[in-house]
Amino acid sequence: MMDRQAAETLLQTAVGNPNAHFRSGQWEAIDALVNHRRKLMVVQRTGWGKSSVYFISTRILRDRGAGLTVIISPLLALMRNQIEAANRLGIRAETINSTALPQMEWVDYRNPL
């Protein structure tokens, strides 16, 4: 079982702040995922810390031998921050997004050439 204090230490590492503490509901989500193996979808406003919940849970589960975690994020700026936080936790994280695609000639199917 992962306890709140150990998980909060991971939060502090992830955000790079030794004084960081969980927001209301974050520990409960992590506990549900890692200690009770529940399926979970967290719906909160931007900036609440959903990525921290997922990355901390991932770190704990990987330490227990689990595998891949997929996180879908709609904002490129958030993806960069998420990758940095994952790296601080020792999680190898990659991003797939439109900026990584080679420049392509896009076809407007409404007005074919």
Side-chain angles (χ1 to χ4, degrees), residues 51-79:
S51 296
S52 292
V53 168
Y54 297 136
F55 283 134
I56 291 166
S57 298
T58 295
R59 174 77 276 151
I60 295 165
L61 293 172
R62 284 195 183 170
D63 287 348
R64 295 177 183 175
L68 179 69
T69 298
V70 175
I71 299 174
I72 299 172
S73 177
L75 301 173
L76 291 176
L78 285 178
M79 285 184 210

Side-chain angles (χ1 to χ4, degrees), residues 2-91:
M2 172 60 70
D3 65 50
R4 181 183 179 127
Q5 183 177 356
E8 208 156 57
T9 298
L10 291 173
L11 171 70
Q12 293 161 354
T13 299
V15 299
N17 178 354
N19 299 313
H21 297 285
F22 287 126
R23 293 184 174 141
S24 178
Q26 286 179 315
W27 163 246
E28 292 77 9
I30 292 167
D31 181 50
L33 287 165
V34 302
N35 292 328
H36 303 285
R37 300 300 298 214
R38 293 191 178 142
K39 294 179 182 179
L40 184 70
M41 180 173 72
V42 177
V43 178
Q44 286 286 349
R45 65 177 170 77
T46 298
W48 177 82
K50 297 176 294 292
S51 296
S52 292
V53 168
Y54 297 136
F55 283 134
I56 291 166
S57 298
T58 295
R59 174 77 276 151
I60 295 165
L61 293 172
R62 284 195 183 170
D63 287 348
R64 295 177 183 175
L68 179 69
T69 298
V70 175
I71 299 174
I72 299 172
S73 177
L75 301 173
L76 291 176
L78 285 178
M79 285 184 210
R80 286 187 289 274
N81 293 340
Q82 291 166 347
I83 297 294
E84 291 169 7
N87 290 334
R88 283 192 293 272
L89 286 173
I91 298 170

